[in-house]
């Protein structure tokens, strides 16, 4: 859908530039003055499917903080240690300045790494983490989680329950799935699943002083303070800054999430650009959204560029393949994971047919590989069944070129899975997409006597994510003459991201 006040030329060029950088776009909305001018999704993603937000979640948490401060539940100057007095033993002089405002601006001065094991108690990790020597802004999931944890402790309810009557219901947003930690608290740094239109509604509230369709939803003062530069970011552009869990840059306010999730408000044109994407290195995507796509507001559409854009949109997305051979699979057999495969698969992340490395937070992640795998055939459908940490899961893969949808639950997280299968060189190939995530799992299945060999390839690769973040860490960047050796090790590890696993009949 495109309206004449937008330039189809620059929308087309934006997509092509994304493609050049390996950015897989799942959905894009352009809104101006409260009117949606453009909305498109790449098959099989759609407008009615919630999508993982990653750190865009933080800006939704900021909104909850605005309600909490406005209602007197907490103040910006409330001291963290007074809210969690059970950690009194942690007390030092630095706690005197550690406030609710500090964690809202990523200025707690607490140690944090994106490679840390976050399967424990987030609050305890934060409270017991040492203070850093290098003070100031440090982007941290733990700081954002403390914002959520404080609201949940003081309100006595989950963040979802707290936000439902204040934000979700007034905006007509379906109550979202939100990942939790082991205590059942919503995670503050990541973990919410919303539709792209939901995010546009929330950002429109911020653009209009907290109002939506003339009704005050978010406190007006909060919309101004949260999106104002509260922290100047050292070593970056003079205009770069951070508000209360919002990014600011030269008149642009953004909710940013890993792998290219982004919602930006451009004050000069009173416009919102919202995009769901899939890319490990998302800096090029941020640049394109802020510097290329806004040019669409400078012109109008034309028949020539409308046609180019329409052709591009029709040609992109996953193209299912039909199975042209009759499948002969050993039904009625259950396969047990080989012990060696069990150990090897856990080196990076336990294996699953659902690419969960990017679909659920580290707080509730499964620690065991899939097991007890079986297969069956239905009419034009290949079914893969397995067990995972006590959950029995089945994914139905279309064989006739028409993918099938399955619903499953692993560790309490629900997935809507789109899948198809075909044959290639004597092997069964299955393509599995949990549509409320951004990942794709490509599986190769080969039967041999009483054994079956399965290979899993996640896109994007979890190993690539780990290695990229390791490469960005201070340890690597400060490694001096050892940097080439470390980089070589990282690149070697990336070449082993296809995980072979062997199963034998029980």
């Amino acid at each position: 859908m495109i309206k004449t006040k937008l330039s189809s030329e620059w929308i087309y060029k934006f997509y092509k530039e994304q493609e050049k950088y390996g950015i897989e776009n799942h959905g894009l909305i352009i809104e101006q003055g409260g009117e949606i001018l453009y909305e498109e999704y790449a098959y099989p993603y759609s407008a009615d499917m919630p999508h993982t937000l990653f750190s865009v979640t933080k800006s939704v948490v900021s909104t909850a903080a605005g309600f909490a401060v406005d209602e007197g539940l907490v103040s910006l100057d409330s001291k963290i240690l007074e809210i969690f007095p059970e950690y009194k033993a942690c007390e030092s002089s630095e706690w005197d300045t550690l406030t609710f405002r500090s964690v809202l601006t990523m200025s707690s001065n607490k140690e944090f790494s994106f490679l840390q094991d976050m399967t424990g108690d987030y609050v305890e990790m934060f409270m017991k983490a040492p203070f850093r020597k290098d003070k100031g802004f440090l982007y941290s999931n733990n700081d954002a989680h403390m914002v959520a944890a404080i609201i949940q402790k003081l309100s006595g309810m989950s963040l979802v329950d707290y936000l439902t009557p204040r934000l979700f219901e007034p905006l007509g947003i379906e109550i979202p799935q939100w990942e939790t930690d082991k205590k059942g608290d919503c995670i503050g740094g990541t973990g919410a699943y919303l539709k792209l239109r939901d995010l546009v509604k929330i950002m429109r509230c911020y653009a209009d002083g907290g109002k939506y369709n003339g009704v005050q939803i978010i406190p007006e003062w909060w919309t101004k303070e949260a999106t104002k530069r509260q922290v100047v970011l050292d070593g970056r552009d003079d205009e770069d800054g951070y508000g209360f869990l919002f990014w600011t840059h030269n008149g642009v306010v953004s909710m940013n999430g890993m792998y290219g999730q982004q919602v930006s408000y451009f004050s000069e044109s009173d416009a919102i650009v919202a995009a769901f994407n899939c890319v490990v290195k998302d800096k090029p995507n941020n640049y394109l959204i802020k510097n290329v796509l806004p040019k669409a507001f400078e012109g109008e559409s034309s028949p020539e560029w409308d046609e180019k854009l329409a052709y591009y949109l029709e040609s992109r997305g996953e193209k299912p393949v039909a199975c042209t051979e009759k499948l002969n699979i050993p039904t009625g057999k259950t396969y047990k994971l080989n012990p060696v495969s069990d150990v090897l698969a856990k080196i990076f992340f336990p294996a699953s047919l659902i690419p969960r490395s990017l679909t659920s937070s580290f707080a509730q992640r499964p620690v065991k590989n899939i097991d007890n795998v079986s297969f069956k055939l239905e009419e034009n459908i290949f079914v893969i069944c397995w067990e995972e940490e006590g959950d029995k899961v089945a994914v139905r893969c279309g064989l006739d070129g028409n993918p099938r949808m399955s619903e499953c639950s692993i560790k309490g997280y629900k997935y809507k899975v789109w899948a198809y299968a075909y044959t290639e060189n004597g092997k069964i190939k299955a393509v599995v997409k949990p549509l409320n995530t951004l990942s794709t799992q490509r599986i190769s299945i080969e039967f041999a006597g009483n054994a079956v060999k399965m290979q899993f390839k996640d896109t994007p690769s979890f190993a690539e994510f780990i290695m990229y973040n390791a490469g960005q860490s201070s340890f690597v960047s400060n490694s001096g003459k050892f940097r080439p050796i470390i980089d070589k090790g990282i690149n070697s590890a990336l070449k082993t991201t296809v995980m072979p696993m062997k199963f034998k009949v029980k």
Side-chain angles (χ1 to χ4, degrees), residues 149-277:
I150 288 166
I151 297 168
Q152 289 174 120
K153 180 174 184 179
L154 297 180
S155 70
M157 62 181 73
S158 75
L159 213 60
V160 169
D161 289 342
Y162 183 76
L163 281 172
T164 293
R166 294 167 173 81
L167 184 70
F168 300 141
E169 287 180 346
L171 293 183
I173 295 174
E174 180 182 342
I175 297 175
Q177 173 172 296
W178 198 313
E179 296 166 20
T180 63
D181 63 14
K182 290 186 176 180
K183 297 188 298 182
D185 288 341
C186 295
I187 298 168
T190 183
Y193 294 74
L194 289 169
K195 300 170 188 174
L196 202 54
R197 281 196 172 205
D198 297 337
L199 297 174
V200 171
K201 289 178 180 179
I202 294 171
M203 186 60 97
R204 176 46 60 186
C205 277
Y206 277 90
D208 291 348
K211 291 183 178 180
Y212 189 76
N213 289 336
V215 178
Q216 194 73 43
I217 306 296
I218 303 169
E220 181 180 8
W221 73 271
W222 184 261
T223 65
K224 291 178 170 47
E225 289 298 308
T227 60
K228 182 174 71 176
R229 185 170 65 175
Q230 301 285 343
V231 178
V232 177
L233 305 185
D234 293 337
R236 306 198 190 190
D237 189 290
D238 289 341
E239 296 297 332
D240 283 341
Y242 200 71
F244 292 152
L245 304 181
F246 281 86
W247 296 91
T248 67
H249 174 80
N250 195 25
V252 180
V253 174
S254 298
M255 310 175 183
N256 288 356
M258 190 169 66
Y259 296 104
Q261 318 322 305
Q262 188 162 343
V263 186
S264 293
Y265 174 66
F266 298 82
S267 57
E268 283 189 6
S269 51
D270 189 27
I272 296 169
V273 172
F276 287 147
N277 299 292

Side-chain angles (χ1 to χ4, degrees), residues 89-385:
C90 300
E91 190 169 7
S92 74
S93 59
E94 296 193 70
W95 283 101
D96 291 338
T97 56
L98 183 46
T99 63
F100 194 50
R101 183 191 298 271
S102 301
V103 288
L104 275 164
T105 56
M106 301 288 184
S107 304
S108 70
N109 295 326
K110 284 281 194 167
E111 291 281 3
F112 172 76
S113 168
F114 279 99
L115 300 181
Q116 75 179 43
D117 184 349
M118 295 181 281
T119 56
D121 184 327
Y122 268 70
V123 172
E124 184 174 19
M125 282 190 288
F126 176 89
M127 299 299 287
K128 292 186 176 181
F131 285 94
R132 306 189 324 267
K133 293 180 181 178
D134 53 330
K135 307 302 182 186
F137 177 87
L138 176 68
Y139 191 72
S140 164
N141 277 341
N142 285 357
D143 278 25
H145 181 70
M146 289 304 293
V147 176
I150 288 166
I151 297 168
Q152 289 174 120
K153 180 174 184 179
L154 297 180
S155 70
M157 62 181 73
S158 75
L159 213 60
V160 169
D161 289 342
Y162 183 76
L163 281 172
T164 293
R166 294 167 173 81
L167 184 70
F168 300 141
E169 287 180 346
L171 293 183
I173 295 174
E174 180 182 342
I175 297 175
Q177 173 172 296
W178 198 313
E179 296 166 20
T180 63
D181 63 14
K182 290 186 176 180
K183 297 188 298 182
D185 288 341
C186 295
I187 298 168
T190 183
Y193 294 74
L194 289 169
K195 300 170 188 174
L196 202 54
R197 281 196 172 205
D198 297 337
L199 297 174
V200 171
K201 289 178 180 179
I202 294 171
M203 186 60 97
R204 176 46 60 186
C205 277
Y206 277 90
D208 291 348
K211 291 183 178 180
Y212 189 76
N213 289 336
V215 178
Q216 194 73 43
I217 306 296
I218 303 169
E220 181 180 8
W221 73 271
W222 184 261
T223 65
K224 291 178 170 47
E225 289 298 308
T227 60
K228 182 174 71 176
R229 185 170 65 175
Q230 301 285 343
V231 178
V232 177
L233 305 185
D234 293 337
R236 306 198 190 190
D237 189 290
D238 289 341
E239 296 297 332
D240 283 341
Y242 200 71
F244 292 152
L245 304 181
F246 281 86
W247 296 91
T248 67
H249 174 80
N250 195 25
V252 180
V253 174
S254 298
M255 310 175 183
N256 288 356
M258 190 169 66
Y259 296 104
Q261 318 322 305
Q262 188 162 343
V263 186
S264 293
Y265 174 66
F266 298 82
S267 57
E268 283 189 6
S269 51
D270 189 27
I272 296 169
V273 172
F276 287 147
N277 299 292
C278 178
V279 63
V280 172
K281 301 176 183 179
D282 56 11
K283 286 183 180 179
N285 183 68
N286 293 340
Y287 174 83
L288 294 176
I289 286 179
K290 290 185 173 68
N291 297 279
V292 176
L293 197 54
K295 292 181 180 180
F297 294 102
E298 298 173 5
E300 293 186 353
S301 61
S302 68
E304 176 191 356
W305 286 106
D306 285 351
E307 186 176 342
K308 276 190 175 183
L309 179 58
Y311 178 79
Y312 174 81
L313 294 174
E314 183 66 26
S315 65
R316 70 176 184 158
E318 183 82 27
K319 304 298 180 186
V321 178
C323 183
T324 58
E325 301 175 22
K326 183 179 179 180
L327 293 187
N328 293 308
I329 65 170
T331 58
K333 294 183 178 180
T334 301
Y335 295 85
K336 192 77 177 170
L337 183 60
N338 178 296
V340 175
S341 294
D342 190 27
V343 173
L344 292 176
K346 291 178 181 176
I347 291 176
F348 282 119
F349 208 89
S352 172
L353 271 76
I354 303 296
R356 66 187 178 213
S357 58
L358 302 176
T359 59
S360 60
S361 75
F362 296 114
Q364 288 274 28
R365 76 181 184 209
V367 296
K368 296 180 181 178
N369 291 302
I370 62 170
D371 210 348
N372 295 324
V373 180
S374 61
F375 309 89
K376 62 182 179 179
L377 284 175
E378 299 175 357
E379 186 176 358
N380 289 322
I381 297 173
F382 173 58
V383 186
I384 311 173
C385 307

